[in-house]
């Protein structure tokens, strides 16, 4: 990890488990009160021992490889490769298995002061899972999921990519807690069709996180060019001027901004 005052660059290669969050202590480079990031790197499917909910955090499961099976709100969701699930605070959920080897990112936003509440011990946990999956997996997960409780997005669907998917204003899923965009661009021509010219700017409140999943991107940060290679993450704190300079193609990545509610974007 390269730690600078103006940015932090994380090498996520080979990392498994929770990587960034409040539990790492304020004096460590992996501390963040805003953002909890975890990752599995081609792990076999697993099963949570119990249903649980979060008191404060929205949780996101972003599946990049393999298939992850999750019960949310008594609905069984198969998260296939290149799909994501958002779980609102207070909504019971559990990972119950999957298929293949799973590479995924887990995020909790905001992360500080969140408590994980585990459902009281129930003897027939396995039986409940069996019943829900029997009826649920055969049906569309999009059908019943209450938007106040969660959201499933297929990232192979063109309308979900190369734009803000989650956040405020004109987005598929509205929340005041953060913005999220999944980027998948095959060529420079495709990029030119989608995005506007990025100007040097800074955020008054938000921290911005740039992920690279495939190939690389270059971001101009304050006075230098920072290359974010494959499976790296760049963190840009509030107040630091930045601008996306270039991508190498085919590019795949994601951008997250949090918090967003009182943020102002100022041109430098
Ligand atoms: Fe959770
Ligand atoms: Fe920005």
């Amino acid at each position: 990890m390269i730690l600078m005052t103006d940015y932090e660059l994380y090498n996520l290669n080979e990392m498994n488990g929770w990587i960034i969050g409040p539990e790492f202590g304020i004096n460590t480079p992996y501390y963040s009160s805003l953002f909890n990031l975890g990752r599995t790197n081609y792990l076999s499917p697993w099963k949570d021992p119990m249903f649980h909910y979060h008191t404060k955090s929205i949780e996101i499961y972003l599946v990049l490889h393999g298939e992850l099976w999750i019960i949310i709100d008594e609905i069984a969701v198969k998260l296939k490769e290149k799909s994501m699930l958002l779980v609102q605070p207070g909504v019971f959920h559990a990972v119950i298995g999957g298929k293949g080897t799973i590479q995924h990112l887990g995020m909790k936003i905001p992360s500080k002061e969140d408590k994980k509440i585990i459902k009281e011990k129930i003897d027939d946990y396995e039986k409940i899972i069996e019943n829900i999956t029997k009826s649920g997996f055969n049906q569309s997960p999009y059908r019943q999921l209450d938007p106040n409780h969660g959201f499933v997005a297929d990232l192979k669907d063109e309308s979900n990519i190369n734009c803000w998917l989650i956040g405020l204003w004109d987005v598929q899923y509205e929340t005041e807690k953060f913005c999220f965009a999944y980027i998948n661009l095959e060529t420079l021509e495709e990029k030119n069709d989608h995005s506007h010219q990025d100007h040097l700017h800074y955020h008054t409140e938000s921290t911005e996180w740039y992920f690279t999943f495939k190939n690389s991107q270059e971001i101009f940060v304050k006075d230098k060019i920072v290359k974010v290679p494959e499976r790296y993450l760049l963190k840009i704190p509030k107040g630091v001027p930045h601008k996306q300079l270039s991508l190498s193609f085919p590019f795949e990545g994601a951008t997250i901004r949090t918090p967003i509610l009182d943020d102002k974007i100022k041109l430098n």
Side-chain angles (χ1 to χ4, degrees):
M1 226 256 337
I2 299 170
L3 178 62
M4 311 293 284
T5 45
D6 297 328
Y7 67 89
E8 289 169 18
L9 188 61
Y10 300 83
N11 179 355
L12 303 179
N13 282 286
E14 310 303 327
M15 291 184 96
N16 268 307
W18 290 106
I19 299 167
I20 297 169
E23 64 271 38
F24 296 103
I26 200 153
N27 295 320
T28 75
Y30 298 95
Y31 174 82
S32 173
S33 63
L34 302 167
F35 186 60
N36 218 181
L37 175 72
R39 176 174 188 261
T40 58
N41 192 27
Y42 299 104
L43 284 194
S44 298
W46 68 95
K47 190 183 270 188
D48 288 341
M50 232 354 112
F51 293 111
H52 67 277
Y53 71 83
H54 301 274
T55 55
K56 289 267 169 20
S57 300
I58 287 181
E59 185 161 21
I60 295 174
Y61 297 86
L62 172 61
V63 178
L64 294 168
H65 187 269
E67 199 173 289
L68 197 55
W69 304 341
I70 297 176
I71 289 182
I72 164 176
D73 234 6
E74 302 186 4
I75 298 169
V77 176
K78 258 185 195 172
L79 281 182
K80 299 197 172 174
E81 191 166 306
K82 308 281 163 69
S83 65
M84 69 188 290
L85 167 70
L86 179 152
V87 184
Q88 287 285 1
V91 179
F92 276 113
H93 58 281
V95 174
I96 55 156
K99 206 164 83 183
T101 50
I102 296 159
Q103 193 193 42
H104 98 290
L105 293 174
M107 293 168 251
K108 285 186 259 182
I109 303 164
S111 53
K112 214 177 164 192
E113 289 155 19
D114 181 55
K115 278 200 185 68
K116 183 176 174 176
I117 308 290
I118 295 176
K119 204 170 184 121
E120 280 171 47
K121 184 97 184 100
I122 35 175
D123 296 331
D124 51 357
Y125 180 62
E126 294 294 328
K127 190 94 200 132
I128 290 171
I129 289 177
E130 202 186 303
N131 286 341
I132 296 172
T133 50
K134 233 187 256 168
S135 56
F137 273 160
N138 300 326
Q139 296 158 17
S140 163
Y142 309 90
R143 183 181 51 88
Q144 302 157 333
L145 194 53
D146 180 336
N148 294 315
H149 293 186
F151 169 65
V152 178
D154 179 356
L155 300 175
K156 292 190 284 308
D157 181 339
E158 275 192 28
S159 59
N160 289 334
I161 66 177
N162 302 323
C163 59
W164 290 112
L165 173 64
I166 295 169
L168 285 174
W169 310 295
D170 191 18
V171 295
Q172 295 271 26
Y173 191 81
E174 211 172 291
T175 167
E176 296 177 341
K177 298 228 165 93
F178 66 101
C179 287
F180 171 91
Y182 171 75
I183 314 295
N184 192 332
L185 293 161
E186 288 292 321
T187 60
L188 178 63
E189 291 68 40
E190 216 182 309
K191 180 187 188 294
N192 292 339
D193 284 348
H194 276 282
S195 49
H196 58 277
Q197 176 72 35
D198 200 10
H199 297 284
L200 191 66
H201 65 282
Y202 67 91
H203 299 270
T204 58
E205 297 302 323
S206 301
T207 298
E208 207 149 39
W209 307 80
Y210 288 91
F211 288 88
T212 302
F213 301 147
K214 194 197 276 180
N215 258 315
S216 68
Q217 58 186 321
E218 284 183 330
I219 317 280
F220 187 76
V221 185
K222 202 173 175 183
D223 52 6
K224 55 172 82 69
I225 296 169
V226 181
K227 185 171 180 178
V228 189
E230 192 157 298
R231 292 185 290 274
Y232 274 66
L233 166 66
L234 175 69
K235 172 187 176 179
I236 300 175
K238 68 178 177 183
V240 177
H242 59 279
K243 167 189 169 152
Q244 190 175 55
L245 279 184
S246 66
L247 304 173
S248 57
F249 299 97
F251 177 82
E252 190 188 356
T255 307
I256 291 176
R257 194 187 289 164
T258 178
I260 53 171
L261 204 50
D262 299 316
D263 186 50
K264 288 195 176 55
I265 298 172
K266 303 243 166 132
L267 290 182
N268 215 51

